Amino acid sequence: MPVETPTPPAKDNVTKIKDFMTNNMVTIMFVVLGLLGFIAAEMSPFLFLVDMVSRISRNAFLVLSLIIPVMAGMGMNFSIVLGAMAAQGAVIFVTHWGIDGLPGILLVIALATPVAMLLGYLTGQLFNKTKGQEMIAGLILAFFAQGIYELIFLQLIGPVIPMDNARLVLSRGTGIRTTIDLTDGLKYGMDWPGLSFGNPTLLRLTLPIAAIVLIAGILGYFLFRQFMQKRPLPSKLKLGVYGVLLGYVGIWSVLQIVNETNINNIRIPLLTAFVIFLCCMFIVFFSKTKLGQDMRSVGQDRHVAAVAGINVNRVRIIAIMMSMVMAAIGHTIFLQNLGTFSTYGSHEQVGLYSVAALLIGGATVTKATIGQALLGVFLFHTLFIVAPPAGRQLFGDAQVGEYFRVFAAYGVIGVSLAMYAWKKRLQDKSKLGL
């Protein structure tokens, strides 16, 4: 005779609100900080959007590279710094060879990928020896790798690795210069692919037109799901919220075009956006494959996964290799957008910034989604954009805002992890009925 499973009691509204606040306390805190900072900064929407579009296209791919290790139960992968090093090394050599624009970017990715895979394999082997301590191991590994990186590019370039290039090599003939300028080279190679073909506006739609194209794509996808795949309709509340949101954005976009406002001067790098979109689709597709399901099983419980016949160590190594390759591609996008970078320092903060952004989006060391990654990038960089002008308006000195911004960059990781531990403790008490 089948045993009936007791139905859990329905939650009242107060409990639902309390659960929502508890589960999203980090994100809510940064939403409030961003709104207060934006109001205090008295910044024009135009300047905010210009900076935000550039920052999202620059950083989103790097943050997405953290999701797969979380899926495999390895926490935040601070070791993506090694993937960034692989990309940076490839950028230096491609710049030396004088290959510019989009072909140069593709060559950088082709060169960095095998190096990132090798570094990912070695890192995965290390993490298998330090199970349960992957985050601190990844952080220390990044410091160790920095020493090797400096040995190669500060001491071996010139005497051992021949490179005769006055633009890149120090005047003494040994070592790479501390700052490299990619102007007239790889700068905007992916964001402005038309530069290679003499058309700078190629694949760069204005923001209002890009928004209308995006709305059309969302509606098309919705109709495809409803009529071709026969999916059930969402609730009326969701339909209403999405309808109002899309309608508002659509009307706003049309008004910007009709009134010929400054917003039309903001251009979206479509190729970069498409690469980020492909990355999102790859993560969705991969999570449904056999290997993706194995990673989820390993992430939930390594011992149960091993009993079920899954090669836990192999799955974990693959997760880190994939994350490392994605980090290499993400750092390539980052560098071509900046156009100038510090040879010995620009990659060092990649892990901290990306982890901070993911945590702000509401992710934890055990669960991370694409939506949380993109939301985290937006909130994190909102704080970066508004902090200096807010400091100038409130205290008469933009440097105060800069201090707050640096504090946020480093402090948010500790705050988020502490909040996560506190939230987990509350949930454990709730389960025990305390």
Side-chain angles (χ1 to χ4, degrees), residues 88-96 149 153 163 165-170 175-183 185-187 335 338-344 346:
Q88 205 157 285
V91 165
I92 291 171
F93 281 102
V94 171
T95 302
H96 169 59
Y149 176 88
F153 290 98
M163 184 178 286
N165 190 321
R167 181 183 169 192
L168 297 175
V169 180
L170 292 166
I176 298 294
R177 293 182 181 276
T178 53
T179 303
I180 293 179
D181 185 5
L182 301 178
T183 305
L186 295 175
K187 186 176 183 179
L335 293 179
L338 278 183
T340 304
F341 67 93
S342 166
T343 309
Y344 305 102
S346 69

PDB file of all heavy atoms in Angstrom, residues 88-96 149 153 163 165-170 175-183 185-187 335 338-344 346:
ATOM      1  N   GLN A  88      46.303  37.211 -21.472  1.00  0.00           N
ATOM      2  CA  GLN A  88      47.166  38.387 -21.506  1.00  0.00           C
ATOM      3  C   GLN A  88      48.491  38.092 -22.215  1.00  0.00           C
ATOM      4  O   GLN A  88      48.999  38.918 -22.976  1.00  0.00           O
ATOM      5  CB  GLN A  88      47.431  38.853 -20.081  1.00  0.00           C
ATOM      6  CG  GLN A  88      47.772  40.314 -19.979  1.00  0.00           C
ATOM      7  CD  GLN A  88      47.471  40.853 -18.600  1.00  0.00           C
ATOM      8  OE1 GLN A  88      46.315  41.067 -18.268  1.00  0.00           O
ATOM      9  NE2 GLN A  88      48.492  41.046 -17.808  1.00  0.00           N
ATOM     10  N   GLY A  89      49.030  36.904 -21.966  1.00  0.00           N
ATOM     11  CA  GLY A  89      50.245  36.496 -22.666  1.00  0.00           C
ATOM     12  C   GLY A  89      50.017  36.433 -24.162  1.00  0.00           C
ATOM     13  O   GLY A  89      50.849  36.895 -24.966  1.00  0.00           O
ATOM     14  N   ALA A  90      48.859  35.864 -24.569  1.00  0.00           N
ATOM     15  CA  ALA A  90      48.547  35.773 -25.998  1.00  0.00           C
ATOM     16  C   ALA A  90      48.382  37.164 -26.603  1.00  0.00           C
ATOM     17  O   ALA A  90      48.804  37.406 -27.742  1.00  0.00           O
ATOM     18  CB  ALA A  90      47.271  34.950 -26.188  1.00  0.00           C
ATOM     19  N   VAL A  91      47.769  38.089 -25.850  1.00  0.00           N
ATOM     20  CA  VAL A  91      47.601  39.463 -26.352  1.00  0.00           C
ATOM     21  C   VAL A  91      48.964  40.107 -26.612  1.00  0.00           C
ATOM     22  O   VAL A  91      49.170  40.789 -27.630  1.00  0.00           O
ATOM     23  CB  VAL A  91      46.792  40.304 -25.325  1.00  0.00           C
ATOM     24  CG1 VAL A  91      46.917  41.791 -25.633  1.00  0.00           C
ATOM     25  CG2 VAL A  91      45.328  39.889 -25.336  1.00  0.00           C
ATOM     26  N   ILE A  92      49.912  39.880 -25.720  1.00  0.00           N
ATOM     27  CA  ILE A  92      51.254  40.462 -25.893  1.00  0.00           C
ATOM     28  C   ILE A  92      51.917  39.945 -27.170  1.00  0.00           C
ATOM     29  O   ILE A  92      52.466  40.711 -27.972  1.00  0.00           O
ATOM     30  CB  ILE A  92      52.121  40.153 -24.650  1.00  0.00           C
ATOM     31  CG1 ILE A  92      51.594  40.934 -23.447  1.00  0.00           C
ATOM     32  CG2 ILE A  92      53.592  40.496 -24.908  1.00  0.00           C
ATOM     33  CD1 ILE A  92      52.236  40.549 -22.131  1.00  0.00           C
ATOM     34  N   PHE A  93      51.837  38.636 -27.395  1.00  0.00           N
ATOM     35  CA  PHE A  93      52.494  38.073 -28.580  1.00  0.00           C
ATOM     36  C   PHE A  93      51.788  38.486 -29.873  1.00  0.00           C
ATOM     37  O   PHE A  93      52.443  38.772 -30.876  1.00  0.00           O
ATOM     38  CB  PHE A  93      52.558  36.543 -28.463  1.00  0.00           C
ATOM     39  CG  PHE A  93      53.657  36.068 -27.563  1.00  0.00           C
ATOM     40  CD1 PHE A  93      53.394  35.649 -26.268  1.00  0.00           C
ATOM     41  CD2 PHE A  93      54.983  36.073 -27.988  1.00  0.00           C
ATOM     42  CE1 PHE A  93      54.409  35.231 -25.425  1.00  0.00           C
ATOM     43  CE2 PHE A  93      56.016  35.657 -27.151  1.00  0.00           C
ATOM     44  CZ  PHE A  93      55.726  35.245 -25.867  1.00  0.00           C
ATOM     45  N   VAL A  94      50.456  38.508 -29.854  1.00  0.00           N
ATOM     46  CA  VAL A  94      49.726  38.906 -31.071  1.00  0.00           C
ATOM     47  C   VAL A  94      49.988  40.382 -31.386  1.00  0.00           C
ATOM     48  O   VAL A  94      50.122  40.768 -32.552  1.00  0.00           O
ATOM     49  CB  VAL A  94      48.215  38.632 -30.897  1.00  0.00           C
ATOM     50  CG1 VAL A  94      47.420  39.246 -32.052  1.00  0.00           C
ATOM     51  CG2 VAL A  94      47.960  37.129 -30.831  1.00  0.00           C
ATOM     52  N   THR A  95      50.098  41.206 -30.332  1.00  0.00           N
ATOM     53  CA  THR A  95      50.448  42.617 -30.550  1.00  0.00           C
ATOM     54  C   THR A  95      51.850  42.725 -31.137  1.00  0.00           C
ATOM     55  O   THR A  95      52.103  43.545 -32.038  1.00  0.00           O
ATOM     56  CB  THR A  95      50.367  43.389 -29.213  1.00  0.00           C
ATOM     57  OG1 THR A  95      49.043  43.260 -28.686  1.00  0.00           O
ATOM     58  CG2 THR A  95      50.687  44.853 -29.405  1.00  0.00           C
ATOM     59  N   HIS A  96      52.756  41.902 -30.666  1.00  0.00           N
ATOM     60  CA  HIS A  96      54.115  41.897 -31.204  1.00  0.00           C
ATOM     61  C   HIS A  96      54.138  41.506 -32.683  1.00  0.00           C
ATOM     62  O   HIS A  96      54.892  42.094 -33.474  1.00  0.00           O
ATOM     63  CB  HIS A  96      54.961  40.917 -30.384  1.00  0.00           C
ATOM     64  CG  HIS A  96      56.306  40.625 -30.997  1.00  0.00           C
ATOM     65  ND1 HIS A  96      57.245  41.607 -31.250  1.00  0.00           N
ATOM     66  CD2 HIS A  96      56.862  39.450 -31.422  1.00  0.00           C
ATOM     67  CE1 HIS A  96      58.318  41.063 -31.798  1.00  0.00           C
ATOM     68  NE2 HIS A  96      58.107  39.759 -31.916  1.00  0.00           N
ATOM     69  N   TYR A 149      54.429  34.127 -13.853  1.00  0.00           N
ATOM     70  CA  TYR A 149      54.100  35.077 -14.930  1.00  0.00           C
ATOM     71  C   TYR A 149      55.154  36.184 -15.009  1.00  0.00           C
ATOM     72  O   TYR A 149      55.639  36.533 -16.092  1.00  0.00           O
ATOM     73  CB  TYR A 149      52.713  35.650 -14.653  1.00  0.00           C
ATOM     74  CG  TYR A 149      52.258  36.712 -15.629  1.00  0.00           C
ATOM     75  CD1 TYR A 149      51.590  36.375 -16.799  1.00  0.00           C
ATOM     76  CD2 TYR A 149      52.496  38.061 -15.377  1.00  0.00           C
ATOM     77  CE1 TYR A 149      51.165  37.351 -17.688  1.00  0.00           C
ATOM     78  CE2 TYR A 149      52.083  39.040 -16.264  1.00  0.00           C
ATOM     79  CZ  TYR A 149      51.421  38.683 -17.414  1.00  0.00           C
ATOM     80  OH  TYR A 149      51.012  39.649 -18.298  1.00  0.00           O
ATOM     81  N   PHE A 153      57.629  37.147 -18.224  1.00  0.00           N
ATOM     82  CA  PHE A 153      57.502  38.397 -18.979  1.00  0.00           C
ATOM     83  C   PHE A 153      58.422  39.507 -18.487  1.00  0.00           C
ATOM     84  O   PHE A 153      58.559  40.533 -19.156  1.00  0.00           O
ATOM     85  CB  PHE A 153      56.039  38.860 -18.959  1.00  0.00           C
ATOM     86  CG  PHE A 153      55.145  37.982 -19.777  1.00  0.00           C
ATOM     87  CD1 PHE A 153      54.395  36.985 -19.187  1.00  0.00           C
ATOM     88  CD2 PHE A 153      55.080  38.120 -21.157  1.00  0.00           C
ATOM     89  CE1 PHE A 153      53.582  36.158 -19.940  1.00  0.00           C
ATOM     90  CE2 PHE A 153      54.280  37.295 -21.923  1.00  0.00           C
ATOM     91  CZ  PHE A 153      53.522  36.298 -21.315  1.00  0.00           C
ATOM     92  N   MET A 163      62.244  38.764 -28.612  1.00  0.00           N
ATOM     93  CA  MET A 163      61.185  39.724 -28.953  1.00  0.00           C
ATOM     94  C   MET A 163      61.840  41.090 -29.144  1.00  0.00           C
ATOM     95  O   MET A 163      62.226  41.741 -28.184  1.00  0.00           O
ATOM     96  CB  MET A 163      60.114  39.775 -27.867  1.00  0.00           C
ATOM     97  CG  MET A 163      58.943  40.694 -28.230  1.00  0.00           C
ATOM     98  SD  MET A 163      57.621  40.723 -26.994  1.00  0.00           S
ATOM     99  CE  MET A 163      56.853  39.142 -27.261  1.00  0.00           C
ATOM    100  N   ASN A 165      60.969  44.431 -30.102  1.00  0.00           N
ATOM    101  CA  ASN A 165      59.854  45.333 -30.366  1.00  0.00           C
ATOM    102  C   ASN A 165      59.939  46.492 -29.371  1.00  0.00           C
ATOM    103  O   ASN A 165      59.647  46.332 -28.180  1.00  0.00           O
ATOM    104  CB  ASN A 165      58.516  44.590 -30.205  1.00  0.00           C
ATOM    105  CG  ASN A 165      57.340  45.414 -30.694  1.00  0.00           C
ATOM    106  OD1 ASN A 165      57.280  46.620 -30.502  1.00  0.00           O
ATOM    107  ND2 ASN A 165      56.395  44.741 -31.347  1.00  0.00           N
ATOM    108  N   ALA A 166      60.331  47.660 -29.847  1.00  0.00           N
ATOM    109  CA  ALA A 166      60.542  48.814 -28.956  1.00  0.00           C
ATOM    110  C   ALA A 166      59.250  49.261 -28.292  1.00  0.00           C
ATOM    111  O   ALA A 166      59.263  49.864 -27.225  1.00  0.00           O
ATOM    112  CB  ALA A 166      61.137  49.971 -29.751  1.00  0.00           C
ATOM    113  N   ARG A 167      58.096  48.941 -28.918  1.00  0.00           N
ATOM    114  CA  ARG A 167      56.802  49.318 -28.350  1.00  0.00           C
ATOM    115  C   ARG A 167      56.457  48.480 -27.125  1.00  0.00           C
ATOM    116  O   ARG A 167      55.745  48.939 -26.232  1.00  0.00           O
ATOM    117  CB  ARG A 167      55.729  49.155 -29.431  1.00  0.00           C
ATOM    118  CG  ARG A 167      54.334  49.538 -29.012  1.00  0.00           C
ATOM    119  CD  ARG A 167      53.359  49.264 -30.150  1.00  0.00           C
ATOM    120  NE  ARG A 167      51.991  49.378 -29.737  1.00  0.00           N
ATOM    121  CZ  ARG A 167      50.955  48.978 -30.452  1.00  0.00           C
ATOM    122  NH1 ARG A 167      51.160  48.442 -31.658  1.00  0.00           N
ATOM    123  NH2 ARG A 167      49.725  49.105 -30.003  1.00  0.00           N
ATOM    124  N   LEU A 168      56.978  47.236 -27.073  1.00  0.00           N
ATOM    125  CA  LEU A 168      56.601  46.323 -25.998  1.00  0.00           C
ATOM    126  C   LEU A 168      57.724  46.057 -25.004  1.00  0.00           C
ATOM    127  O   LEU A 168      57.478  45.908 -23.802  1.00  0.00           O
ATOM    128  CB  LEU A 168      56.148  44.969 -26.593  1.00  0.00           C
ATOM    129  CG  LEU A 168      54.907  44.998 -27.493  1.00  0.00           C
ATOM    130  CD1 LEU A 168      54.669  43.618 -28.093  1.00  0.00           C
ATOM    131  CD2 LEU A 168      53.682  45.433 -26.696  1.00  0.00           C
ATOM    132  N   VAL A 169      58.975  45.981 -25.507  1.00  0.00           N
ATOM    133  CA  VAL A 169      60.095  45.558 -24.652  1.00  0.00           C
ATOM    134  C   VAL A 169      60.762  46.785 -24.020  1.00  0.00           C
ATOM    135  O   VAL A 169      60.858  47.848 -24.645  1.00  0.00           O
ATOM    136  CB  VAL A 169      61.115  44.750 -25.489  1.00  0.00           C
ATOM    137  CG1 VAL A 169      62.285  44.296 -24.616  1.00  0.00           C
ATOM    138  CG2 VAL A 169      60.428  43.540 -26.123  1.00  0.00           C
ATOM    139  N   LEU A 170      61.204  46.613 -22.774  1.00  0.00           N
ATOM    140  CA  LEU A 170      61.894  47.695 -22.069  1.00  0.00           C
ATOM    141  C   LEU A 170      63.174  48.082 -22.797  1.00  0.00           C
ATOM    142  O   LEU A 170      63.762  47.269 -23.531  1.00  0.00           O
ATOM    143  CB  LEU A 170      62.216  47.246 -20.638  1.00  0.00           C
ATOM    144  CG  LEU A 170      60.995  47.054 -19.714  1.00  0.00           C
ATOM    145  CD1 LEU A 170      61.404  46.302 -18.458  1.00  0.00           C
ATOM    146  CD2 LEU A 170      60.393  48.400 -19.359  1.00  0.00           C
ATOM    147  N   GLY A 175      62.467  42.040 -20.741  1.00  0.00           N
ATOM    148  CA  GLY A 175      61.200  42.283 -20.047  1.00  0.00           C
ATOM    149  C   GLY A 175      60.233  43.159 -20.826  1.00  0.00           C
ATOM    150  O   GLY A 175      60.634  43.975 -21.665  1.00  0.00           O
ATOM    151  N   ILE A 176      58.935  42.948 -20.544  1.00  0.00           N
ATOM    152  CA  ILE A 176      57.868  43.711 -21.194  1.00  0.00           C
ATOM    153  C   ILE A 176      57.602  44.986 -20.398  1.00  0.00           C
ATOM    154  O   ILE A 176      57.692  45.001 -19.173  1.00  0.00           O
ATOM    155  CB  ILE A 176      56.578  42.857 -21.265  1.00  0.00           C
ATOM    156  CG1 ILE A 176      56.812  41.593 -22.117  1.00  0.00           C
ATOM    157  CG2 ILE A 176      55.409  43.647 -21.841  1.00  0.00           C
ATOM    158  CD1 ILE A 176      57.066  41.871 -23.563  1.00  0.00           C
ATOM    159  N   ARG A 177      57.253  46.055 -21.089  1.00  0.00           N
ATOM    160  CA  ARG A 177      56.935  47.323 -20.425  1.00  0.00           C
ATOM    161  C   ARG A 177      55.769  47.138 -19.449  1.00  0.00           C
ATOM    162  O   ARG A 177      54.945  46.246 -19.618  1.00  0.00           O
ATOM    163  CB  ARG A 177      56.578  48.384 -21.471  1.00  0.00           C
ATOM    164  CG  ARG A 177      57.753  48.782 -22.352  1.00  0.00           C
ATOM    165  CD  ARG A 177      57.352  49.882 -23.332  1.00  0.00           C
ATOM    166  NE  ARG A 177      58.472  50.239 -24.193  1.00  0.00           N
ATOM    167  CZ  ARG A 177      59.423  51.102 -23.860  1.00  0.00           C
ATOM    168  NH1 ARG A 177      59.378  51.703 -22.682  1.00  0.00           N
ATOM    169  NH2 ARG A 177      60.414  51.370 -24.684  1.00  0.00           N
ATOM    170  N   THR A 178      55.696  48.003 -18.454  1.00  0.00           N
ATOM    171  CA  THR A 178      54.669  47.853 -17.416  1.00  0.00           C
ATOM    172  C   THR A 178      53.267  48.175 -17.937  1.00  0.00           C
ATOM    173  O   THR A 178      52.276  47.706 -17.383  1.00  0.00           O
ATOM    174  CB  THR A 178      54.973  48.776 -16.225  1.00  0.00           C
ATOM    175  OG1 THR A 178      55.143  50.115 -16.702  1.00  0.00           O
ATOM    176  CG2 THR A 178      56.251  48.349 -15.508  1.00  0.00           C
ATOM    177  N   THR A 179      53.184  48.995 -18.967  1.00  0.00           N
ATOM    178  CA  THR A 179      51.868  49.337 -19.540  1.00  0.00           C
ATOM    179  C   THR A 179      51.904  49.112 -21.052  1.00  0.00           C
ATOM    180  O   THR A 179      52.874  49.495 -21.710  1.00  0.00           O
ATOM    181  CB  THR A 179      51.519  50.810 -19.263  1.00  0.00           C
ATOM    182  OG1 THR A 179      51.545  51.034 -17.844  1.00  0.00           O
ATOM    183  CG2 THR A 179      50.132  51.134 -19.779  1.00  0.00           C
ATOM    184  N   ILE A 180      50.855  48.482 -21.553  1.00  0.00           N
ATOM    185  CA  ILE A 180      50.777  48.215 -22.996  1.00  0.00           C
ATOM    186  C   ILE A 180      49.537  48.900 -23.560  1.00  0.00           C
ATOM    187  O   ILE A 180      48.431  48.751 -23.026  1.00  0.00           O
ATOM    188  CB  ILE A 180      50.726  46.705 -23.274  1.00  0.00           C
ATOM    189  CG1 ILE A 180      52.057  46.069 -22.872  1.00  0.00           C
ATOM    190  CG2 ILE A 180      50.424  46.426 -24.741  1.00  0.00           C
ATOM    191  CD1 ILE A 180      52.120  44.598 -23.078  1.00  0.00           C
ATOM    192  N   ASP A 181      49.729  49.656 -24.620  1.00  0.00           N
ATOM    193  CA  ASP A 181      48.637  50.369 -25.282  1.00  0.00           C
ATOM    194  C   ASP A 181      48.238  49.591 -26.539  1.00  0.00           C
ATOM    195  O   ASP A 181      49.074  49.312 -27.399  1.00  0.00           O
ATOM    196  CB  ASP A 181      49.108  51.782 -25.649  1.00  0.00           C
ATOM    197  CG  ASP A 181      47.976  52.617 -26.232  1.00  0.00           C
ATOM    198  OD1 ASP A 181      46.824  52.135 -26.261  1.00  0.00           O
ATOM    199  OD2 ASP A 181      48.251  53.761 -26.657  1.00  0.00           O
ATOM    200  N   LEU A 182      46.965  49.224 -26.622  1.00  0.00           N
ATOM    201  CA  LEU A 182      46.478  48.439 -27.765  1.00  0.00           C
ATOM    202  C   LEU A 182      45.848  49.301 -28.859  1.00  0.00           C
ATOM    203  O   LEU A 182      45.261  48.769 -29.798  1.00  0.00           O
ATOM    204  CB  LEU A 182      45.454  47.408 -27.276  1.00  0.00           C
ATOM    205  CG  LEU A 182      45.947  46.408 -26.230  1.00  0.00           C
ATOM    206  CD1 LEU A 182      44.812  45.483 -25.805  1.00  0.00           C
ATOM    207  CD2 LEU A 182      47.115  45.588 -26.768  1.00  0.00           C
ATOM    208  N   THR A 183      45.972  50.629 -28.711  1.00  0.00           N
ATOM    209  CA  THR A 183      45.414  51.528 -29.739  1.00  0.00           C
ATOM    210  C   THR A 183      46.062  51.228 -31.100  1.00  0.00           C
ATOM    211  O   THR A 183      47.257  50.963 -31.186  1.00  0.00           O
ATOM    212  CB  THR A 183      45.685  52.992 -29.353  1.00  0.00           C
ATOM    213  OG1 THR A 183      45.160  53.226 -28.043  1.00  0.00           O
ATOM    214  CG2 THR A 183      45.025  53.948 -30.327  1.00  0.00           C
ATOM    215  N   GLY A 185      45.606  48.651 -32.666  1.00  0.00           N
ATOM    216  CA  GLY A 185      45.932  47.217 -32.673  1.00  0.00           C
ATOM    217  C   GLY A 185      44.691  46.410 -32.338  1.00  0.00           C
ATOM    218  O   GLY A 185      43.730  46.377 -33.107  1.00  0.00           O
ATOM    219  N   LEU A 186      44.702  45.815 -31.150  1.00  0.00           N
ATOM    220  CA  LEU A 186      43.578  44.964 -30.753  1.00  0.00           C
ATOM    221  C   LEU A 186      42.439  45.730 -30.088  1.00  0.00           C
ATOM    222  O   LEU A 186      41.387  45.150 -29.814  1.00  0.00           O
ATOM    223  CB  LEU A 186      44.076  43.880 -29.781  1.00  0.00           C
ATOM    224  CG  LEU A 186      45.072  42.871 -30.362  1.00  0.00           C
ATOM    225  CD1 LEU A 186      45.581  41.935 -29.278  1.00  0.00           C
ATOM    226  CD2 LEU A 186      44.421  42.070 -31.480  1.00  0.00           C
ATOM    227  N   LYS A 187      42.656  47.014 -29.791  1.00  0.00           N
ATOM    228  CA  LYS A 187      41.610  47.794 -29.113  1.00  0.00           C
ATOM    229  C   LYS A 187      40.314  47.796 -29.937  1.00  0.00           C
ATOM    230  O   LYS A 187      40.337  48.080 -31.133  1.00  0.00           O
ATOM    231  CB  LYS A 187      42.096  49.230 -28.887  1.00  0.00           C
ATOM    232  CG  LYS A 187      41.120  50.054 -28.060  1.00  0.00           C
ATOM    233  CD  LYS A 187      41.678  51.440 -27.765  1.00  0.00           C
ATOM    234  CE  LYS A 187      40.729  52.237 -26.884  1.00  0.00           C
ATOM    235  NZ  LYS A 187      41.264  53.573 -26.564  1.00  0.00           N
ATOM    236  N   LEU A 335      40.208  43.117 -22.136  1.00  0.00           N
ATOM    237  CA  LEU A 335      41.376  43.902 -22.549  1.00  0.00           C
ATOM    238  C   LEU A 335      41.112  44.702 -23.822  1.00  0.00           C
ATOM    239  O   LEU A 335      41.524  45.862 -23.935  1.00  0.00           O
ATOM    240  CB  LEU A 335      42.580  42.978 -22.757  1.00  0.00           C
ATOM    241  CG  LEU A 335      43.141  42.295 -21.498  1.00  0.00           C
ATOM    242  CD1 LEU A 335      44.321  41.398 -21.853  1.00  0.00           C
ATOM    243  CD2 LEU A 335      43.562  43.323 -20.463  1.00  0.00           C
ATOM    244  N   LEU A 338      39.148  47.773 -22.880  1.00  0.00           N
ATOM    245  CA  LEU A 338      39.913  48.801 -22.165  1.00  0.00           C
ATOM    246  C   LEU A 338      40.898  49.514 -23.094  1.00  0.00           C
ATOM    247  O   LEU A 338      41.062  50.719 -23.062  1.00  0.00           O
ATOM    248  CB  LEU A 338      40.673  48.168 -20.998  1.00  0.00           C
ATOM    249  CG  LEU A 338      39.903  47.930 -19.695  1.00  0.00           C
ATOM    250  CD1 LEU A 338      40.849  47.357 -18.654  1.00  0.00           C
ATOM    251  CD2 LEU A 338      39.288  49.228 -19.187  1.00  0.00           C
ATOM    252  N   GLY A 339      41.600  48.716 -23.898  1.00  0.00           N
ATOM    253  CA  GLY A 339      42.557  49.307 -24.842  1.00  0.00           C
ATOM    254  C   GLY A 339      43.936  49.561 -24.262  1.00  0.00           C
ATOM    255  O   GLY A 339      44.897  49.703 -25.006  1.00  0.00           O
ATOM    256  N   THR A 340      44.049  49.636 -22.957  1.00  0.00           N
ATOM    257  CA  THR A 340      45.329  49.805 -22.278  1.00  0.00           C
ATOM    258  C   THR A 340      45.312  48.944 -21.024  1.00  0.00           C
ATOM    259  O   THR A 340      44.294  48.878 -20.349  1.00  0.00           O
ATOM    260  CB  THR A 340      45.562  51.266 -21.866  1.00  0.00           C
ATOM    261  OG1 THR A 340      45.456  52.089 -23.024  1.00  0.00           O
ATOM    262  CG2 THR A 340      46.939  51.455 -21.262  1.00  0.00           C
ATOM    263  N   PHE A 341      46.419  48.278 -20.727  1.00  0.00           N
ATOM    264  CA  PHE A 341      46.414  47.452 -19.522  1.00  0.00           C
ATOM    265  C   PHE A 341      47.793  47.407 -18.882  1.00  0.00           C
ATOM    266  O   PHE A 341      48.823  47.618 -19.536  1.00  0.00           O
ATOM    267  CB  PHE A 341      45.912  46.036 -19.821  1.00  0.00           C
ATOM    268  CG  PHE A 341      46.813  45.209 -20.691  1.00  0.00           C
ATOM    269  CD1 PHE A 341      47.768  44.352 -20.140  1.00  0.00           C
ATOM    270  CD2 PHE A 341      46.704  45.266 -22.071  1.00  0.00           C
ATOM    271  CE1 PHE A 341      48.582  43.576 -20.943  1.00  0.00           C
ATOM    272  CE2 PHE A 341      47.510  44.499 -22.885  1.00  0.00           C
ATOM    273  CZ  PHE A 341      48.463  43.655 -22.318  1.00  0.00           C
ATOM    274  N   SER A 342      47.776  47.151 -17.573  1.00  0.00           N
ATOM    275  CA  SER A 342      49.010  46.991 -16.817  1.00  0.00           C
ATOM    276  C   SER A 342      49.506  45.554 -17.000  1.00  0.00           C
ATOM    277  O   SER A 342      48.792  44.599 -16.661  1.00  0.00           O
ATOM    278  CB  SER A 342      48.753  47.278 -15.334  1.00  0.00           C
ATOM    279  OG  SER A 342      49.837  46.836 -14.555  1.00  0.00           O
ATOM    280  N   THR A 343      50.705  45.411 -17.530  1.00  0.00           N
ATOM    281  CA  THR A 343      51.218  44.071 -17.851  1.00  0.00           C
ATOM    282  C   THR A 343      51.270  43.159 -16.631  1.00  0.00           C
ATOM    283  O   THR A 343      50.979  41.968 -16.726  1.00  0.00           O
ATOM    284  CB  THR A 343      52.637  44.190 -18.441  1.00  0.00           C
ATOM    285  OG1 THR A 343      52.627  45.143 -19.493  1.00  0.00           O
ATOM    286  CG2 THR A 343      53.132  42.852 -18.953  1.00  0.00           C
ATOM    287  N   TYR A 344      51.612  43.709 -15.480  1.00  0.00           N
ATOM    288  CA  TYR A 344      51.834  42.863 -14.309  1.00  0.00           C
ATOM    289  C   TYR A 344      50.745  43.021 -13.241  1.00  0.00           C
ATOM    290  O   TYR A 344      50.912  42.530 -12.127  1.00  0.00           O
ATOM    291  CB  TYR A 344      53.202  43.181 -13.702  1.00  0.00           C
ATOM    292  CG  TYR A 344      54.312  43.054 -14.718  1.00  0.00           C
ATOM    293  CD1 TYR A 344      54.859  44.178 -15.315  1.00  0.00           C
ATOM    294  CD2 TYR A 344      54.749  41.802 -15.136  1.00  0.00           C
ATOM    295  CE1 TYR A 344      55.844  44.070 -16.283  1.00  0.00           C
ATOM    296  CE2 TYR A 344      55.728  41.676 -16.102  1.00  0.00           C
ATOM    297  CZ  TYR A 344      56.280  42.813 -16.674  1.00  0.00           C
ATOM    298  OH  TYR A 344      57.245  42.687 -17.637  1.00  0.00           O
ATOM    299  N   SER A 346      46.916  43.942 -14.277  1.00  0.00           N
ATOM    300  CA  SER A 346      45.518  44.025 -14.692  1.00  0.00           C
ATOM    301  C   SER A 346      44.758  42.714 -14.481  1.00  0.00           C
ATOM    302  O   SER A 346      43.537  42.720 -14.331  1.00  0.00           O
ATOM    303  CB  SER A 346      45.422  44.452 -16.156  1.00  0.00           C
ATOM    304  OG  SER A 346      45.893  43.428 -16.993  1.00  0.00           O
TER     305      SER A 346
END
